Amino acid sequence: RIPAGCRKVVLSFGGSLGAQKLNEEMLGVFENYGKKHPEVLFFHAAGDRCKEEFAVAFEKTGLKDCPNIRCSDYIYDMPKYMAAADLVICRAGASTLSELTALGVPAILVPSPNVTNHHQEKNAALLGDHGAALVLPEEGLDGKKLFAAAAGILNDPQRMETMSQNMAALGIPD
């Protein structure tokens, strides 16, 4: 459920097992948005492999009771959350990208550097080259850069609309 006053929804996840680096940098995003920007609602899934470590780190931020940041280990109804999202921050696996293109949801993609033949980097590059997503390499990524990237998209309605149209143009909804 989206609380009153929230105008934008951001969904972030690193896959069912999680992505430690993405979890770490999302904490930086939360610290920059958090209580300062209640109009943005965050849903973040830490992943099964990373849940304990993420829970401890999130507790340390002091944002556990922040009403616009909701964290869980896993999201069981991903289609509902993706459809509600104005922006998705995630890895660049083929299934996830096919869902994003089918829905036309703008994204910030952080491809995993730990996959065979760098296929996530190639997947992400295609969407980035078409203006559907912003691609940020994991190497050198930090919470401030990820926050600036998210804010740059969320605060620019024309950019969001263009990214959404470009994403949908790449989609095969059948």
Side-chain angles (χ1 to χ4, degrees):
R1 199 159 119 183
I2 299 174
C6 287
R7 295 189 310 269
K8 301 264 174 56
V9 176
V10 177
L11 170 65
S12 55
F13 57 93
S16 59
L17 295 177
Q20 182 179 352
K21 179 69 172 170
L22 192 57
N23 285 342
E24 290 169 1
E25 305 321 333
M26 283 307 298
L27 291 172
V29 173
F30 298 155
E31 288 172 338
N32 281 286
Y33 267 103
K35 296 175 183 168
K36 301 172 200 170
H37 297 278
E39 73 280 5
V40 180
L41 175 61
F42 287 89
F43 291 103
H44 179 72
D48 190 55
R49 182 180 56 208
C50 303
K51 63 186 174 189
E52 287 90 8
E53 185 177 335
F54 180 79
V56 169
F58 185 60
E59 180 78 31
K60 289 179 184 176
T61 67
L63 295 170
K64 187 174 182 183
D65 295 322
C66 192
N68 62 317
I69 300 173
R70 300 183 184 168
C71 299
S72 63
D73 303 342
Y74 188 81
I75 294 174
Y76 290 92
D77 195 2
M78 188 60 83
K80 178 175 78 174
Y81 285 80
M82 266 198 193
D86 295 293
L87 178 66
V88 173
I89 302 171
C90 63
R91 293 298 199 185
S95 294
T96 296
L97 299 188
S98 68
E99 293 167 345
L100 291 172
T101 60
L103 292 168
V105 180
I108 296 174
L109 302 175
V110 182
S112 173
N114 305 313
V115 295
T116 305
N117 295 323
H118 304 282
H119 75 265
Q120 284 201 11
E121 293 169 19
K122 294 171 188 172
N123 294 346
L126 176 74
L127 272 64
D129 291 347
H130 283 86
L134 177 62
V135 180
L136 299 177
E138 183 173 289
E139 185 176 334
L141 184 65
D142 63 34
K144 289 180 184 178
K145 287 180 187 176
L146 191 53
F147 165 75
I153 294 169
L154 291 169
N155 294 327
D156 187 343
Q158 182 58 50
R159 183 177 183 193
M160 285 185 68
E161 180 60 28
T162 300
M163 289 177 75
S164 179
Q165 290 172 357
N166 293 342
M167 188 70 84
L170 295 169
I172 303 172
D174 182 355

